[in-house]
Amino acid sequence: MHFFELAEPASLQEAIGLLGDSGGRPVAGGTAVMLMMKTGVFQPERLVSLRKIESQYSQIRLDSEGNLRLGAMTPLRRIERSADVAAVAPVVTAAMRRLSNVRVRNVATLGGHLAHGDPHLDLPPVLIALNASLVVASPSGERTMPVEDLFRGYLETALAPDELIAEVIVPANPDQRAAYLKHTTRSAEDWPALGIAVALTLNGGTVETARVAIGAATDTPRRLTSVETMLIGNPHNDAVLQTTGDATAGEAEVHSDARGSAAYKRELIRVFTARAIRQAVEGDRA
Amino acid sequence: MSGHRRTITFTLNGRDVAADIGVHQNLTEVLQESFGLFGARESCGQGLCGCCTVLVDGQAVTSCLSLAAFADGSTIDTIEGLADGDTLSPEQEAFIETGAFQCGYCTPGFILMTKQLLDENPEPSDEEIMHYLSGNLCRCGAYAEIVKAVRLAGQKRKA
Amino acid sequence: MTGGSTTTVGHSFPRMEGRAKVTGQADYIYNMRLPSMLHAKVHRSPISHGRIRSINTAAAAAMPGVHQVITGEDVKAVLPEPYYGPAFHDQPILALEKVRHFGEPVAVVLAPDPHVAETAAQRIVVDYEELPAVFDEVEALTSEAIVHEELKPAGTFADLKHLSGKRDTNIALDFHLNHGDADKAFAEAAHVFEHTFRTQQTMHTPFEPMVALADVRNDRAEIFSSTQSPSFVRFELSRLLGWPESNVRVKTSHLGGGFGAKVYVKVEALAMALSLIAHRPVRVAQTMEEQFYTITKHPNTFRIRSAVDGDGRITGRKCEVWWNGGAYADIGPRVTQKSGFTAAGPYDIDNIDIDSFALYTNRPPAGALRGFGIPQLVWAYESHTDIIASELGLDPVDFRKRNILRNGRPQAVGTIVEDGEFEAVLDGVAQRLGWNRPFDKGSGTKRRGRGVAIGFKASISPTTSSAIVSVNADGSVIVYCSTVDMGQGSDTAMAQIAAEVLDVPLDLIRVVNPDTDVTPYDMSTLGSRSTFHMGHAVQLAATDARDKLRAMADEVGLPEGSNAPLPELFIKKFGMRAGTVVGAANYKPDYAPPNYETGQSPNATPFWMIGAAGAEVEVDTETGQFRILRLVNVCDIGKPINPEVVETQISGAAVMQLGFTLTETMIIENGQLTNPSLADYKIPGLFDMPDVMENGFIEAEQHNGPFGAKGAGESGTFGVSPAIANAIADAVGVRITEMPITAEAIFRALREKAGRPLEDV
Ligand SMILES: Cc1cc2nc3c(=O)[nH]c(=O)nc-3n(C[C@H](O)[C@H](O)[C@H](O)COP(=O)(O)OP(=O)(O)OC[C@H]3O[C@@H](n4cnc5c(N)ncnc54)[C@H](O)[C@@H]3O)c2cc1C
Ligand code: FES
Ligand code: FES
């Protein structure tokens, strides 16, 4: 490990002041930062720890409209065990079960998870499907952006060096059904070859709204809009699932890696898109 | 509160301690070099095997991915603190009785995960056991015996 | 010395070191620190083959806190011939002139602070002239890339002598066996089958990474190492130093896993050289990543052909095996020969030709790994066996039984099989699988299948073990032996044997950790040889002690059969609690080396290890993903010294082989190893376990074994991979010939079969 300095500011504002031109890089749970520093791919001169900032950024609450508001510094394990999360977004609770392991979730934070920008992470497609947004704080104040717009490339996000994720907002949508399928091709606890999240509302036998997002197989987590278009206004029967599955093959640019060739992953996307939609439709309101 | 070195204080296995550390040092290293505790040990170094597990404020943590500086002010329990004098903890007894290890390198990690599980859920289902322990690896492949050990430890804690 | 009822041997005592292991107190060498020690961090080659033009160490040496930067030339200055290896003296302590594989050690930084050493090591700049590299064992036969310009056999093995000084070849050993007349058998065969199978490169990943500390001063070298081979390390380091073995001390402790990774010399020579140069104690501690550059399992290619008559009897077999030994031979030539002679499988075949080649390539070196080449062979011959059965319309178990090797018959090497319960082991698996009961083959997109496989292995011969058993005046006992307990429970087994012979309770026995100043010679802890060889030595040494105690009893006038307690005996003899009675023994089984031309030997091994596996799988035909519903392993391990420990050896071996079968593979792309970490090299976890796993052994006895026992550490690996491939073929009708068996490979094969091959665009 290289040598660096560590700052532990007591407020979000103070932390922001130490970033950017001041040369600091944020660290929250530190699980991703430590991995990158150990391999030497990341050698910051100064780390700015977010662990001591105001506790409001590590809280889970429901706002007046029933939207779920998750402080960015909340450890994933608290989100996993939160009754509010289970009520508003049970798909998030479910996704946690296979997200890394208990030890890592005990310390890894939601903000670090999103800001890391690794396309293999589980929550980005889930939050994109749920139409979640971020509150981002910078020296000039706060802005809100859809989670969907955060990811720019491999380990690249739309955050400026002096911006921090402060909060994640998951809109309340009591009629929505959602599902997330994670598929690993090597050992069970490997990073996924594919993660696919679906959120739907139904009107009788037809799909009224649909958001479908994938991660892991593509450079960045992203929506499959052609699949959404094919679903909306159509019945969710096997024939439609078949064609939506087929539609995925063309839409996403997929890369070969040790978890599978691009051609194989496209087949997986086809199969798992249909399976995820079916699970969302058939599951309890998820 | 900046700089390359600092002194941290924390509670280690029930005793208040202090250590002079480099901020680049991880918790595994500090437990070994400053306190001579080798039960948490680095193997994969990547959060996967759990050989470096310790409990921080009662929560199992990957000490190879934790900066020691973050331990300041916390309560840390390691495998060395689990036995009460010569009396082994129920988890430790269960691992011996079921033969749940071969080389033993992964064993402290599995035992501490078992402890966290049983602290949170004294009557875990098999699915719950698998879930808690699936973040630890055993290269000797003692998984079947380890699951048995967790069940036995649960029974022992109730008795 | 077998038979009769035993009070300690044959019973399942918990491991002696259990308490230390569950309390975090176990004393692994990785925990060790020496006063005023320096940490070594290695700068490694970023390419697979190249000539070193220059090494610039200035920036590293200038870093505050750096003690010294050391290169291969510095080593050469103090050790003029700094090459080591059990079969060839081909491996430089630090690279000289050339690098031959990705990750090869090129230079070292020494510093009191390991972080300083690590950061400085990154600042070493090496200029290479890259050379063409070869990675495939078959290409290595004819490639222009030559890994070693000249071959340098160590002189220890007779069958390598003819290779001395050979130039411009990558062949590090060719082994040939002819048994009967294979050409004739093929000419007369009713059916002829030919298939080629391949296995991948994998790594042991012991959880305690390789580590050695060295303290060399004056004419004394002390080495503390997580080695499986303390005696060999002493031999090799004393050779390098030109010192008598008594000036070199190698001490080890319990290992955090070994699996063959820690046999022979690994990091010890480097630690020794660094301490010799720096005049300070030095610690060389690898990371998990570095282990991948140090030693691996041989990938191989195996072309197998069989001649079968009209009755389903295999009449002839021709085997050609190419072993990918990587850049340094390590013990690869032994794998080529020892495993080579079993390549035709556990079948009674009259006419056999085997050609087995060890090849140098530019991969990280390959050596011993649990099974010593056998799992790679079984993968091929048992897949091949199932294909034949299926094409002839025969039941796979019946077909095997029709051809199985039986006691009293010669194995291909010409040695008559004794105490080899092949058929019983196969029956054991079939029975546990319920082979004769109907089997639900699934439907729709979920298809099920099952398969079996059986393999076997000879012991490593000729090898010697020595032991000392001393009886203290209070009746407690110390066993001195150089067998290394790396989790296989050997300390407990040796203690049980000594306790049995001396009729002393187990808790009065202490087994000393190997320390070459103290514990006598042992060839090495490898190849499941310890229970048999060291077990014998301990038994003989304990018997020697017992005889001396008897003589002592006679001398002091205790009547025969008086059974006076031991403390009383010592007091009678020495007038107070004093004195020690020491028993000692060497053990070496008989052996006859194979004839160089024919490969035939009347006595190639003191015992055979046999293991069979049965698998049931369910395949998702939409993705190729499959689940192992049941995995059964049955072995012939003779009579177990400690049944529970033996059972965990069998299951542990099977779990490890499961990883090699399904997920583990070292990926080399553009000359770089891309996945040297557990994040990218996936070993099995809890969720990868079969739904049901059963492990057992059959009633058997090795008549020449200590208390009827023989080795058990590897047999659980043998059948796993082909049993799974055979089950998949049974489920969905596709045959995977290359390991690992991935979902994608199955999916592609299914699409191929359906006439819609998956297009890569
Ligand atoms: C062994 C292991 C297995 C894993 N398996 C999985 C898995 O299966 N699925 C999965 O989804 N994930 C997995 N992860 C990844 C894990 O989810 C991330 O490591 C974690 O979410 C990162 O959170 P952190 O708080 O530790 O981030 P940190 O390491 O602290 O930070 C990560 C990045 O985010 C930046 N950052 C942190 N907080 C903020 C903020 N508030 N605003 C802006 N930038 C910030 C940091 O500068 C850094 O660039 C695994 C991790 C490990 C170690
Ligand atoms: S060493 Fe920390 S998890 Fe493996
Ligand atoms: S007992 Fe050896 S790694 Fe688990």
Side-chain angles (χ1 to χ4, degrees), chain C residues 171-488:
Chain C
I171 300 178
L173 175 73
D174 53 318
F175 168 75
H176 307 282
L177 179 151
N178 306 106
H179 182 75
D181 186 344
D183 287 337
K184 183 155 170 280
F186 275 83
E188 292 169 358
H191 314 274
V192 171
F193 299 88
E194 172 178 333
H195 304 104
T196 300
F197 298 88
R198 289 171 64 91
T199 66
Q200 81 284 28
Q201 191 170 28
T202 58
M203 207 267 150
H204 323 56
T205 69
F207 272 13
E208 179 195 20
M210 293 174 221
V211 56
L213 294 85
D215 188 356
V216 184
R217 52 182 102 189
N218 305 323
D219 56 357
R220 174 80 165 147
E222 291 198 293
I223 312 292
F224 305 89
S225 167
S226 67
T227 179
Q228 295 175 235
S229 313
S231 301
F232 183 85
V233 170
R234 178 175 71 171
F235 163 84
E236 193 70 341
L237 298 196
S238 74
R239 182 185 67 77
L240 285 164
L241 286 161
W243 294 355
E245 290 195 34
S246 51
N247 289 25
V248 179
R249 174 193 186 192
V250 180
K251 188 174 175 350
T252 185
S253 183
H254 283 107
L255 306 194
F259 316 113
K262 300 172 179 174
V263 297
Y264 303 107
V265 166
K266 290 295 167 306
V267 289
E268 299 83 359
L270 178 60
M272 175 273 283
L274 295 172
S275 178
L276 182 69
I277 293 168
H279 304 291
R280 290 266 291 268
V282 171
R283 177 175 185 254
V284 180
Q286 291 199 337
T287 59
M288 183 59 79
E289 175 187 338
E290 289 179 292
Q291 297 200 96
F292 285 90
Y293 309 131
T294 307
I295 197 70
T296 68
K297 174 168 172 164
H298 285 80
N300 78 337
T301 300
F302 185 167
R303 181 158 72 205
I304 180 166
R305 284 176 281 177
S306 290
V308 182
D309 72 12
D311 298 328
R313 285 274 317 170
I314 306 168
T315 53
R317 200 160 254 191
K318 295 191 181 192
C319 305
E320 291 160 282
V321 195
W322 299 274
W323 302 93
N324 192 325
Y328 297 104
D330 199 84
I331 199 63
R334 292 299 87 194
V335 173
T336 305
Q337 189 241 335
K338 295 288 174 194
S339 295
F341 73 67
T342 71
Y347 299 108
D348 191 350
I349 305 172
D350 287 332
N351 308 292
I352 293 174
D353 279 356
I354 296 170
D355 298 301
S356 181
F357 302 92
L359 289 143
Y360 280 121
T361 66
N362 294 108
R363 287 178 172 271
L369 195 163
R370 208 169 197 168
F372 214 64
I374 297 299
Q376 294 99 308
L377 297 174
V378 189
W379 165 246
Y381 64 65
E382 282 299 84
S383 296
H384 177 70
T385 300
D386 249 45
I387 304 175
I388 299 175
S390 140
E391 292 194 10
L392 297 179
L394 298 171
D395 175 83
V397 173
D398 287 346
F399 176 59
R400 283 181 172 82
K401 289 176 71 160
R402 207 172 285 195
N403 289 284
I404 201 94
L405 201 50
R406 291 187 168 81
N407 286 322
R409 294 286 302 157
Q411 195 272 341
V413 76
T415 302
I416 305 291
V417 174
E418 284 178 82
D419 295 336
E421 304 302 334
F422 295 92
E423 188 166 12
V425 166
L426 190 58
D427 281 339
V429 165
Q431 214 168 49
R432 285 175 192 243
L433 281 183
W435 192 258
N436 294 323
R437 288 199 300 272
F439 178 72
D440 173 7
K441 296 205 62 175
S443 60
T445 59
K446 294 276 159 65
R447 298 302 174 111
R448 296 173 168 215
R450 57 186 180 164
V452 299
I454 176 167
F456 75 127
K457 177 175 187 281
S459 177
I460 307 291
S461 277
T463 64
T464 301
S465 290
S466 311
I468 296 170
V469 172
S470 74
V471 183
N472 300 321
D474 67 348
S476 64
V477 173
I478 303 182
V479 176
Y480 300 85
C481 70
S482 293
T483 292
V484 179
D485 196 330
M486 48 192 170
Q488 81 280 36

Side-chain angles (χ1 to χ4, degrees), chain A residues 7 9-26 46-50 53 137-141 161-164:
Chain A
S11 75
L12 190 72
Q13 275 317 312
E14 199 188 325
I16 288 169
L18 295 167
L19 301 174
D21 294 341
S22 316
R25 298 290 300 266
R46 183 201 277 166
L47 282 183
V48 178
S49 167
L50 306 181
I53 68 170
S138 70
S140 51
D162 59 357
E163 284 188 314
L164 286 175

Side-chain angles (χ1 to χ4, degrees), chain B residues 79-106:
Chain B
I79 190 72
E80 288 89 348
L82 215 57
D84 180 7
D86 279 346
T87 312
L88 296 181
S89 77
E91 299 85 7
Q92 290 170 318
E93 280 179 6
F95 270 68
I96 292 184
E97 285 169 31
T98 51
F101 50 84
Q102 295 183 23
C103 79
Y105 219 67
C106 68

Side-chain angles (χ1 to χ4, degrees), chain A residues 1-3 38 43 183-184 186-190 258-261 263-264 266-268 271-272 275, chain C residues 115-116 118-119 122 620 622-623 625 663 667 680 682-683 687-688 743-744 747-748 751 758-761:
Chain A
M1 186 90 89
H2 74 292
F3 297 91
K38 281 182 136 183
Q43 304 204 332
H183 185 66
T184 58
R186 302 189 297 182
S187 67
E189 52 77 58
D190 190 14
R259 293 174 191 85
S261 68
Y264 179 58
R266 275 195 290 273
E267 295 298 324
L268 291 178
V271 172
F272 282 94
R275 288 183 186 178
Chain C
H115 299 281
V116 170
E118 184 188 333
T119 309
Q122 292 166 4
D620 176 345
E622 283 189 300
T623 61
Q625 193 84 1
T663 56
I667 302 167
D680 295 309
K682 302 312 296 183
I683 68 169
F687 281 121
D688 302 302
E744 177 166 350
F747 182 79
R748 283 180 180 272
R751 287 283 295 262
L758 188 62
E759 307 274 351
D760 287 292
V761 276

